Amino acid sequence: MKLQRKNRVRALAVGALAVSGALALSACGSDNTSGGPGGSSSAKAANIKCDGKGKLLASGSSAQKNAMDVWVQNYAGACQGTEINYQPTGSGAGVTTFLQGQTAFAGSDSPLKPEEIAKSKTVCKGGQAIDLPMVGGPVAVGYNVPGVDGLVLDAPTLAKIFDSQITNWNDEAIKKLNPGAKLPDLKIQAFHRSDDSGTTDNFTKYLKAASGGAWKHEPAKKWEGTGGQAASGSAGVSSQVKQTSGAISYFELSYATAGKIPTVKIGTGATAPVEATVDNASKAIAEAQPAGQGNDLALKLNYTTKAEGAYPITLVTNEIVCDKGNKADTLPATKSFLTYVASKDGQDALKALGYAPLPTEIADKVRKTVATLS
């Protein structure tokens, strides 16, 4: 991922996060934050078992940044001898940094590739990197079209919009999905991520799987579509939608909530278009199938679900960590922090932030695997 210095817009409109002096949440690249989610969470200091001392470095997914803010705040309050420094540099950069041995764990919205697992064996002495699902949620499609509420789009139409084949908001394909809407004669301003992004990877996986061939490109962290405009990080693209008439882009639901950006309802083939909500995303994530081997708990999401009320554009952020061969000086704190994150208290904190807690069966597997890290 290309690291670019850019101040981040507010990540969630639920209050500023008070960061203690011992807590360093430096945000490198596009997601340098000036605020974050705050307020109380269900995490209780008494339920966090502290272990390890010093600084724990981690980086990666900006999609989970809002959750990380709260997790780190709660953990720092209970374990004052440990400093968790999570930099939301994006999934691609996070995995790269982890594979270089510079961080204790990484956040990635895409499971590790076979070549990345192979490369990890040089860092994870006697073991390899594994995926631990930790955060789920919807990828919202936000838009700024004056006078239009409740916009409905489907995968073929979205694919054509983001590939510059549909370029005006009063296009017949959009009119057909929105009878009665007063669609303006306004140019579409489609924004995509400029950095290597797991959110882009999941969004384009949806377009490829569900558009019936309208999306001609292979899914990837790097944007492959034709035309459009680029901005860095979820904060960057959501900010552009907020301030640009005719704009549309994709980002995690919390950014839409923060900016009061309207989101598209997705036509899936169910009886009614589906809104981007935590509960609707949870229905789709519940259809995920195991995709990893052994202790690797990677999931394969179903982007073509037609289940009633199931929102199809979802992602699951994985914490990438060594199953064996973790550095002795960071292992205790890594296990302690990830144990809390995967706990009921850690997961219960998510829903109010616009994330979907892990299904119980998956969360149980994650907790058991974290306990075996060595």
Side-chain angles (χ1 to χ4, degrees):
M1 171 183 178
K2 299 177 180 177
L3 298 179
Q4 301 175 359
R5 294 285 179 185
K6 183 176 181 180
N7 288 333
R8 182 181 175 185
V9 297
R10 283 183 58 85
L12 192 63
V14 293
L17 177 64
V19 182
S20 66
L23 176 61
L25 270 181
S26 59
C28 181
S30 61
D31 288 319
N32 190 15
T33 182
S34 58
S40 62
S41 79
S42 61
K44 302 174 182 63
N47 292 337
I48 298 177
K49 183 180 182 298
C50 304
D51 201 0
K53 298 290 183 181
K55 181 181 290 187
L56 190 69
L57 299 178
S59 66
S61 166
S62 63
Q64 70 170 356
K65 197 274 178 185
N66 300 331
M68 270 291 173
D69 278 354
V70 170
W71 285 335
V72 172
Q73 181 190 34
N74 291 336
Y75 188 84
C79 308
Q80 297 182 11
T82 306
E83 177 186 338
I84 310 294
N85 186 325
Y86 182 80
Q87 299 185 13
T89 56
S91 297
V95 171
T96 297
T97 303
F98 175 80
L99 294 177
Q100 293 171 346
Q102 298 179 30
T103 51
F105 68 91
S108 177
D109 306 323
S110 301
L112 291 164
K113 297 177 181 178
E115 58 268 27
E116 291 171 334
I117 294 176
K119 187 175 181 180
S120 73
K121 294 179 181 179
T122 63
V123 175
C124 306
K125 303 299 183 183
Q128 65 179 44
I130 56 174
D131 297 277
L132 298 178
M134 206 68 77
V135 183
V139 178
V141 180
Y143 67 97
N144 181 346
V145 183
V148 178
D149 297 316
L151 183 68
V152 176
L153 298 172
D154 58 14
T157 308
L158 279 168
K160 292 174 184 177
I161 287 172
F162 280 93
D163 208 26
S164 300
Q165 298 176 48
I166 293 177
T167 58
N168 224 58
W169 279 111
N170 62 354
D171 187 274
E172 288 300 321
I174 302 176
K175 285 182 178 179
K176 185 176 180 180
L177 292 167
N178 297 272
K182 294 182 180 179
L183 294 165
D185 183 7
L186 178 66
K187 183 180 178 182
I188 294 174
Q189 307 284 348
F191 285 89
H192 57 265
R193 291 277 291 270
S194 61
D195 49 300
D196 286 0
S197 159
T199 308
T200 294
D201 191 27
N202 283 274
F203 182 63
T204 55
K205 282 177 179 175
Y206 160 75
L207 294 180
K208 186 70 172 181
S211 69
W215 186 254
K216 306 297 183 182
H217 314 281
E218 289 303 311
K221 292 178 183 177
K222 181 179 177 62
W223 183 257
E224 299 292 344
T226 303
Q229 302 176 65
S232 183
S234 294
V237 291
S238 61
S239 177
Q240 290 296 329
V241 172
K242 177 74 173 177
Q243 66 191 23
T244 306
S245 181
I248 187 171
S249 190
Y250 56 93
F251 35 82
E252 293 70 43
L253 180 61
S254 60
Y255 291 90
T257 303
K260 298 182 180 179
I261 300 169
T263 60
V264 171
K265 294 180 180 179
I266 302 297
T268 64
T271 56
V274 185
E275 187 177 355
T277 69
V278 171
D279 288 339
N280 291 346
S282 294
K283 292 176 184 177
I285 292 172
E287 298 183 25
Q289 297 296 317
Q293 301 292 324
N295 285 333
D296 191 307
L297 303 180
L299 299 173
K300 182 178 181 180
L301 298 172
N302 180 12
Y303 300 101
T304 60
T305 179
K306 292 180 174 58
E308 296 298 324
Y311 183 79
I313 318 176
T314 60
L315 60 76
V316 172
T317 302
N318 302 286
E319 311 310 334
I320 308 299
V321 66
C322 296
D323 59 355
K324 299 177 182 178
N326 290 278
K327 294 179 181 179
D329 59 338
T330 59
L331 176 61
T334 299
K335 291 182 70 173
S336 173
F337 179 67
L338 294 182
T339 295
Y340 159 61
V341 167
S343 72
K344 185 178 185 302
D345 282 342
Q347 290 293 302
D348 282 351
L350 293 177
K351 192 169 182 179
L353 305 176
Y355 297 102
L358 294 174
T360 301
E361 181 180 355
I362 296 172
D364 287 343
K365 290 180 180 179
V366 171
R367 292 165 194 158
K368 291 177 181 177
T369 302
V370 169
T372 68
L373 300 179
S374 63

